[in-house]
């Protein structure tokens, strides 16, 4: 798991006007909370933070007034049109501490032939893992799966030190039978009727 160091500034101005000023400087307002501490309002470097949060559950080493604190992103607000970061909530974590997170589910391999469809019932798997060893993703083999087959949460191999946070019998992936292609045939019949007229 990657650890990204960011230099932050504490902030004392709040509200929309202050947030707009921070964003104009290519920075992102954020809040750090957890472990029963008072929330700390921060200003984070925009570009570095944007690159960091491309990695799911990235571990951030925040330099706050010369002291380093570890945190993981808990909630990110983005501009709906331009996609830039508007605000971030960060959860304070300690080395060795267990946290509940969701990790993306990646697949490898090909389904059995027949044009069947793979449905991701869950795009991310809820797990409990050490804050400093959160996996970036879990990979599942779908090689040879046929229509009607499923992969349950308990079927997925988790990295050492991680455990499921959901019922093991929860469906994560399932294979749907290919739909019969009726539309092209109906279109052909319609064209034939038009030609006769």
């Amino acid at each position: 798991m990657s650890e990204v160091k960011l230099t932050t500034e504490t902030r004392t101005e709040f509200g929309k006007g202050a947030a707009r000023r921070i964003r104009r400087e290519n920075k992102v307002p954020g809040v750090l909370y957890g472990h029963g501490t008072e929330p700390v309002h921060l200003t984070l470097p925009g570009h570095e933070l944007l690159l960091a949060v491309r990695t799911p559950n990235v571990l951030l080493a925040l330099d706050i007034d010369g002291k380093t604190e570890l945190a993981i992103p808990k909630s990110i607000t983005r501009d709906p049109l331009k996609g830039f970061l508007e605000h971030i909530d960060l959860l304070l974590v300690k080395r060795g501490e267990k946290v509940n997170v969701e990790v993306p589910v990646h697949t490898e391999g090909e389904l059995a032939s027949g044009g069947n469809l793979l449905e991701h019932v869950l795009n991310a798997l809820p797990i409990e893992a050490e804050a400093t060893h959160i996996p970036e993703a879990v990979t599942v083999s779908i090689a040879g799966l046929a229509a009607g087959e499923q992969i349950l949460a308990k079927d997925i191999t988790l990295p050492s030190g991680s455990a499921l946070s959901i019922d093991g019998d929860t469906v994560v992936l399932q294979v749907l039978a290919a739909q019969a292609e009726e539309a092209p045939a109906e279109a052909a019949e319609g064209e034939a009727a038009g030609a006769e007229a």
Side-chain angles (χ1 to χ4, degrees), residues 8 26 29 38 40 80-81 98 105 107 115 130 146 156 162 167 183 189:
T8 70
N26 193 25
E38 285 289 314
V40 180
L81 297 175
K98 296 270 190 178
V105 177
T107 58
E130 271 191 43
I156 297 174
S162 301
D167 188 319
E189 286 170 18

Side-chain angles (χ1 to χ4, degrees), residues 6 8 69 71 75 79-80 96 107-108 111 115 119 149 151 172 175 177-178:
L6 294 176
T8 70
E69 298 282 12
S75 171
D79 180 274
T107 58
E108 62 183 9
L111 295 175
E119 180 186 14
E149 291 192 274
I151 290 180
V172 179
V175 183

Side-chain angles (χ1 to χ4, degrees), residues 103-161:
V103 294
V105 177
H106 294 169
T107 58
E108 62 183 9
E110 298 291 327
L111 295 175
S113 58
N116 297 325
L117 299 172
L118 179 68
E119 180 186 14
H120 284 255
V121 179
L122 293 179
N123 287 315
L125 189 67
I127 67 166
E128 182 185 65
E130 271 191 43
T132 52
H133 292 90
I134 299 170
E136 291 185 13
V138 290
T139 302
V140 183
S141 174
I142 57 167
L145 291 183
E149 291 192 274
Q150 300 176 327
I151 290 180
L152 306 179
K154 65 185 177 188
D155 300 329
I156 297 174
T157 304
L158 296 176
S160 174

